[in-house]
Amino acid sequence: MLKTYVWRSLPVIALSATLTTHALADEQHVADGDKADNKHLLHDTPLPDGHVPANVNYGFTVIGRDTLAGISSGLYTDVWAHDGYAYVGTFEEPTCDRSGVFISDIRNPSNPVKIGMIKSPPQTRVNDVKVTPVGDRDVLIFTLEPCGPLNGNSSKQLGQSGISLWDVTDPTNPHALKQNFLDFPVHNTFPWTTANGETYLLVVDDVNVNDLHIVDMTKPQSPKLITTTGIGTWLATNPEVAADGQLFMGTFAAPLLHDVWVNDMDPGPGENWQAVLPYWDAGFITLDVNDPYNPVFLGDSTYPDPDPVHGISPPEGNAHAAVFGGPNFDKIFAGDEDFDSLFTAVITGSDSYPASQGSDVPQIGPGADIEVLEAQTAFVGQACGGSLTPAADVGAGIALVERGGCTFSLKAQTAEAAGYDAVVVFNSDAPGNCDASVSMLVEAGIPALFVPRSSGFAILGIDGYDPEQCPGGTNPDLPAADTLGQFATLGAVFDGWGYLHTLNNTSTQVTVPLGMGGDTVTVDYLGEMGYYAPAEVTNPALATGAGDLTMHNLEIDPTNPDRTFISWYSLGMRAVEWRPGHLHSNSNGEGVVSWNMHEVGRFIAGEEYGEAAGSNFWGIHVTEIDGEQYILGTDRNTGLWIFQWSCEDATDVLYCNGPVTP
């Protein structure tokens, strides 16, 4: 039976040796020559689209639904609304041939009606949609990411990149203003318009190290790229980003930029435009964008270590989405997206080394092809074809292989042909590799894991390896082929799903309660002062088979800035409020693990919805129709849902109209 381990921190190394490997936003699997990178697997999770058992729903009332095109394979994406119309994106993989944006008339929220679809270019997916007024036009902005096969011998996928701008002033007759603007894949955007009528757009770049761009779209038919900056710049100019050692943590270790948000922090007569940028493991970065030509770095958050909900060290990171909230925007509600609740490791004695599992190979872990694998390790070189010494003659069952020289698939298949039960590839000493970690695109009949170079030397039992000396420095030589390493266990342990954080967004320290007992803690700017996780995200029994239990997107309730609505994939829709002093450990069956935050609504589709039973909510957006507030949610399988939220007794210190629990 597997134990839970406190993970050894990966060393923070030079920028040139880290960002090169992780430059592609959403890059989960990496090819070494024979397969296409899937840059989007974080959203195309391999877990089943199951769901947790029927839960107690409260707070959310279903007003209407639009099944749109009747897609049922997990491919609806983001949602936005404007003037009584909703806009819903699609992924449409693996065929990647029907992507685009659906338009639904929601002016009668109880009876929404699909009125059309704007198709994206062939082999191109739409992740993000926004609509904003620009002058006398309503402009739809949607992102473009290639999703087709490789283009011949090129490393690029078929499909188009950038953003497209459409005039939807008349949603029944949209027409293009500017298509395929920008020459890189775009994952997310956010527009804002200043008091003098200039409209700007934050753009998230999937591929470049400086991954944040600002576009002037005041003339949407002729937008202009005016600023390029991002993590590459800030690691050079603001060392605090890397000083906490959290650039690369967790199962998918990368400092990539994800969903972005912009707010006017002074919505009175003045203006103060700021952005919050979720940088996966690097944390949440705030930016002054009052001068879009010269954005100013404000701060960078640090994840608490150990993780306060899951208890692991180092914490995973996985910053995905955030919004400004609270009175005078004194808080940031920030969410992690963690699709992988199981942490794979190579364990030798009392030491454990985080590993990533290859794509098309038997998986290891609870409920997987192989629960745990224990065997002697041996170094077999690069394993680039030819005949290896049979594993039985070497006296080992796990082949340790150095990256380089050939594809991951050839390495794994070569080890398999020699009779090995598993292969562990460790990184090469090429510039940009060393202690970076990747997940391999690989095909074989045995498990294939990847670890940083320092982990490979440690598993071999070689002392004296120094990550700072790679590349180009002095390190021990690798041994001859067939040299035995340490006895190892390949396994996976539960480390939880992504959840909600509340950060201090004031320029001064704040004091918040630790619980109802009167104890307090002082929190710095961008420090964590609250969290919320449904109990299911901490339950090892739900590591697989219950769908995706991580949170995804969130928006503030305009009627109460201390309340946020969250789309939580298979855990449905959630409403959560800032409630100082609340501390729940689920020890009394509360159904949540939280601090200074309190659940005030949840919805998971029950059996009464027939084929739509079970939820998988991706997108969320708060809108107003005829003076009434509605919450829109996009279920990846069942399309657009329209809710209203209400609380029977908002003055109740403990609950709204939730179930009576201890």
Side-chain angles (χ1 to χ4, degrees):
M1 185 172 179
L2 289 175
K3 299 179 181 178
T4 300
Y5 294 87
V6 175
W7 304 108
R8 171 176 295 183
S9 297
L10 295 177
V12 176
I13 53 180
L15 174 63
S16 62
T18 56
L19 287 183
T20 302
T21 301
H22 299 291
L24 292 177
D26 276 7
E27 178 181 72
Q28 176 73 5
H29 285 111
V30 172
D32 261 20
D34 65 342
K35 292 175 72 67
D37 294 354
N38 184 345
K39 305 176 183 65
H40 314 278
L41 192 63
L42 290 179
H43 287 319
D44 300 340
T45 168
L47 293 179
D49 286 326
H51 59 278
V52 297
N55 212 324
V56 178
N57 293 336
Y58 71 101
F60 288 98
T61 300
V62 178
I63 304 300
R65 295 176 53 203
D66 188 348
T67 57
L68 301 171
I71 300 169
S72 59
S73 49
L75 301 177
Y76 292 114
T77 60
D78 211 356
V79 60
W80 202 261
H82 183 71
D83 277 355
Y85 291 86
Y87 301 81
V88 178
T90 53
F91 266 11
E92 293 297 345
E93 287 188 332
T95 58
C96 196
D97 59 0
R98 291 195 303 155
S99 294
V101 179
F102 288 104
I103 305 175
S104 179
D105 184 343
I106 60 172
R107 290 176 295 176
N108 179 359
S110 63
N111 186 31
V113 178
K114 184 190 76 170
I115 61 169
M117 181 189 187
I118 301 172
K119 296 194 72 171
S120 65
Q123 312 287 352
T124 305
R125 62 201 285 166
V126 175
N127 175 76
D128 179 57
V129 293
K130 298 288 192 302
V131 180
T132 189
V134 182
D136 57 358
R137 292 186 173 106
D138 294 332
V139 178
L140 166 67
I141 308 149
F142 59 89
T143 60
L144 303 172
E145 294 174 305
C147 60
L150 286 179
N151 185 8
N153 294 323
S154 169
S155 61
K156 293 184 178 180
Q157 287 177 280
L158 290 174
Q160 297 187 23
S161 296
I163 60 174
S164 285
L165 307 177
W166 284 66
D167 187 331
V168 291
T169 307
D170 177 1
T172 66
N173 185 31
H175 61 273
L177 295 169
K178 184 70 173 181
Q179 299 193 69
N180 312 114
F181 174 64
L182 302 174
D183 60 357
F184 46 81
V186 174
H187 189 73
N188 190 256
T189 68
F190 201 95
W192 75 101
T193 299
T194 64
N196 62 7
E198 295 172 331
T199 300
Y200 299 97
L201 184 71
L202 286 191
V203 176
V204 175
D205 180 339
D206 281 356
V207 297
N208 293 298
V209 173
N210 270 332
D211 47 13
L212 181 71
H213 306 273
I214 301 180
V215 169
D216 184 340
M217 54 173 288
T218 306
K219 296 180 179 179
Q221 69 277 19
S222 54
K224 297 178 181 179
L225 177 61
I226 61 173
T227 302
T228 295
T229 184
I231 192 72
T233 294
W234 298 322
L235 284 171
T237 60
N238 298 86
E240 63 267 33
V241 176
D244 56 17
Q246 294 189 348
L247 280 180
F248 301 103
M249 304 183 298
T251 304
F252 176 46
L256 57 91
L257 180 58
H258 228 282
D259 290 13
V260 293
W261 197 270
V262 180
N263 251 75
D264 181 4
M265 313 303 281
D266 182 15
E271 290 182 275
N272 181 17
W273 295 98
Q274 292 185 18
V276 57
L277 315 174
Y279 261 103
W280 214 250
D281 296 341
F284 298 90
I285 287 175
T286 51
L287 201 65
D288 180 330
V289 292
N290 284 292
D291 179 358
Y293 289 84
N294 295 287
V296 178
F297 182 98
L298 296 176
D300 165 51
S301 72
T302 296
Y303 282 96
D305 190 358
D307 182 285
V309 170
H310 299 305
I312 59 172
S313 179
E316 279 214 73
N318 305 330
H320 169 266
V323 293
F324 296 105
N328 300 313
F329 305 111
D330 64 351
K331 304 175 187 70
I332 292 174
F333 295 116
D336 298 337
E337 184 183 37
D338 177 12
F339 274 123
D340 193 345
S341 66
L342 297 172
F343 207 118
T344 305
V346 180
I347 304 161
T348 60
S350 60
D351 294 322
S352 55
Y353 304 94
S356 61
Q357 300 202 51
S359 58
D360 301 317
V361 295
Q363 299 293 289
I364 291 177
D369 306 290
I370 301 169
E371 177 119 351
V372 66
L373 192 153
E374 298 179 334
Q376 175 65 46
T377 65
F379 177 63
V380 299
Q382 290 189 335
C384 287
S387 297
L388 300 180
T389 304
D393 294 346
V394 177
I398 300 173
L400 290 171
V401 177
E402 184 184 25
R403 182 183 185 181
C406 60
T407 67
F408 292 133
S409 290
L410 181 56
K411 293 176 183 295
Q413 292 165 11
T414 301
E416 181 182 5
Y420 283 94
D421 299 318
V423 59
V424 176
V425 180
F426 60 87
N427 219 336
S428 71
D429 60 358
N433 289 355
C434 296
D435 262 40
S437 182
V438 302
S439 294
M440 301 178 292
L441 273 167
V442 55
E443 292 181 74
I446 60 174
L449 278 61
F450 189 95
V451 297
R453 190 169 181 83
S454 61
S455 299
F457 274 72
I459 297 165
L460 282 168
I462 299 174
D463 295 327
Y465 180 84
D466 182 1
E468 298 294 334
Q469 295 297 311
C470 181
T474 301
N475 266 315
D477 294 328
L478 286 168
D482 303 334
T483 299
L484 296 179
Q486 300 192 70
F487 189 87
T489 298
L490 310 184
V493 296
F494 181 76
D495 64 354
W497 303 86
Y499 62 92
L500 176 73
H501 306 263
T502 302
L503 308 180
N504 170 24
N505 192 43
T506 67
S507 58
T508 60
Q509 292 181 327
V510 296
T511 300
V512 297
L514 283 171
M516 295 293 189
D519 293 335
T520 61
V521 62
T522 300
V523 179
D524 292 326
Y525 175 49
L526 298 183
E528 184 156 306
M529 59 183 188
Y531 54 77
Y532 161 81
E536 291 91 342
V537 310
T538 67
N539 186 351
L542 299 178
T544 60
D548 304 316
L549 305 187
T550 181
M551 71 169 289
H552 191 229
N553 288 342
L554 70 167
E555 281 199 20
I556 294 301
D557 182 348
T559 69
N560 179 355
D562 272 334
R563 182 184 304 128
T564 183
F565 301 119
I566 308 170
S567 51
W568 211 297
Y569 287 109
S570 293
L571 288 175
M573 302 287 284
R574 300 283 162 149
V576 184
E577 290 184 4
W578 170 255
R579 296 279 185 91
H582 282 246
L583 183 64
H584 299 291
S585 65
N586 198 40
S587 58
N588 293 319
E590 306 97 310
V592 299
V593 177
S594 63
W595 169 47
N596 291 334
M597 300 297 294
H598 193 71
E599 179 187 287
V600 293
R602 73 170 80 110
F603 173 83
I604 300 176
E607 299 302 323
E608 68 271 25
Y609 290 98
E611 292 184 359
S615 293
N616 194 354
F617 281 103
W618 165 298
I620 191 165
H621 183 62
V622 183
T623 191
E624 186 176 294
I625 303 171
D626 293 333
E628 293 285 329
Q629 179 171 287
Y630 296 89
I631 302 102
L632 309 183
T634 40
D635 186 293
R636 298 176 75 189
N637 299 324
T638 59
L640 177 66
W641 294 64
I642 303 175
F643 302 93
Q644 283 191 302
W645 179 89
S646 63
C647 182
E648 290 182 358
D649 184 4
T651 64
D652 190 316
V653 175
L654 293 177
Y655 299 100
C656 283
N657 53 338
V660 178
T661 56

